[in-house]
Every structure is written in C-alpha cells, then in structure tokens.
Amino acid sequence: QVQLVESGGGLVQAGGSLRLSCAASGRTDSTYVMGWFRQAPGKERDLVAHIRSGGITAYADSVKGRFTISRDNAKNTVYLQMNSLKPEDTAVYYCAARPFGSTWGQNAYWGQGTQVTVSS
C-alpha cells in the first residue's frame, strides 16, 4: 500500500501563487510516476501534470508555463508550484502515484485531495 497526503491548498487571488506538497509513504519508491490531478465541481478528474523518476515531466495544455511539478526522492515528496493562478484553476487537487509501466486507471494510489480556490 501507498499512502499520499497532500497539503498547501487554500484561497488565493487571481494572479497569485500556491505550492502543493504530497508526501508519500508505504510501498513506494523513486521509480513510481507521480502526478497531480484536479476535479472541479460537476467535471471529471483531469491530469494536471506528472513526473517520472528521471525528472521527465508532462503538463496539461491549460497549465503549461504556469505550473511546475517537481519531486524530492530523498523525501518521497512531490510538489506542484502554481503561478499566475486563474479562477478556472479552482478545483480539488489530488496527488497520485503509480508504478512505472502501469496506467492511472490501474494500480494507482490517490491522496485525499486539497481544495484550491482562486478568486477573481
């Protein structure tokens, strides 16, 4: 089992910044792919960004150039730095982890989510 605990959400004005953190524990290691998803009310949960063990990253088009995902393998922690926030970024943000070679729909572990609210 893998446990994921997010922190760092909150309320921020448009144009502001937040940094989310996700601490992983249990049967996880640096080979896991780590990701951040978000779900707004009435919408599906969407992938925001993910990072592989070698530091290879990928982002949703809507956040490219504004968000940065990073990981500290020594601390088993993944971060999401969010800059130039927009009201449409408002959502519950979830941390996720999966073994390399699997998909998010199988063998993935999820955190409990943290609310991010961006006011206009």
Side-chain angles (χ1 to χ4, degrees):
Q1 290 291 336
V2 174
Q3 293 79 43
L4 302 171
V5 179
E6 303 103 333
S7 60
L11 173 64
V12 64
Q13 288 188 332
S17 298
L18 283 175
R19 189 175 84 151
L20 305 183
S21 300
C22 173
S25 61
R27 293 186 59 187
T28 182
D29 58 46
S30 61
T31 66
Y32 271 58
V33 181
M34 303 296 295
W36 286 97
F37 288 72
R38 68 185 181 186
Q39 187 169 21
K43 296 188 176 181
E44 295 185 350
R45 187 175 299 187
D46 293 325
L47 179 63
V48 175
H50 73 255
I51 183 168
R52 291 166 55 177
S53 61
I56 298 172
T57 59
Y59 297 89
D61 288 343
S62 59
V63 306
K64 282 181 181 176
R66 300 188 299 120
F67 290 11
T68 303
I69 188 171
S70 62
R71 65 191 295 169
D72 184 334
N73 291 330
K75 295 182 178 180
N76 284 333
T77 301
V78 63
Y79 305 96
L80 186 68
Q81 178 66 44
M82 305 185 293
N83 299 328
S84 301
L85 282 160
K86 304 175 181 179
E88 51 263 43
D89 294 319
T90 296
V92 177
Y93 283 70
Y94 297 90
C95 177
R98 62 171 173 84
F100 181 75
S102 67
T103 67
W104 294 112
Q106 60 175 168
N107 300 326
Y109 299 91
W110 297 89
Q112 81 286 354
T114 185
Q115 177 70 45
V116 171
T117 303
V118 184
S119 63
S120 57

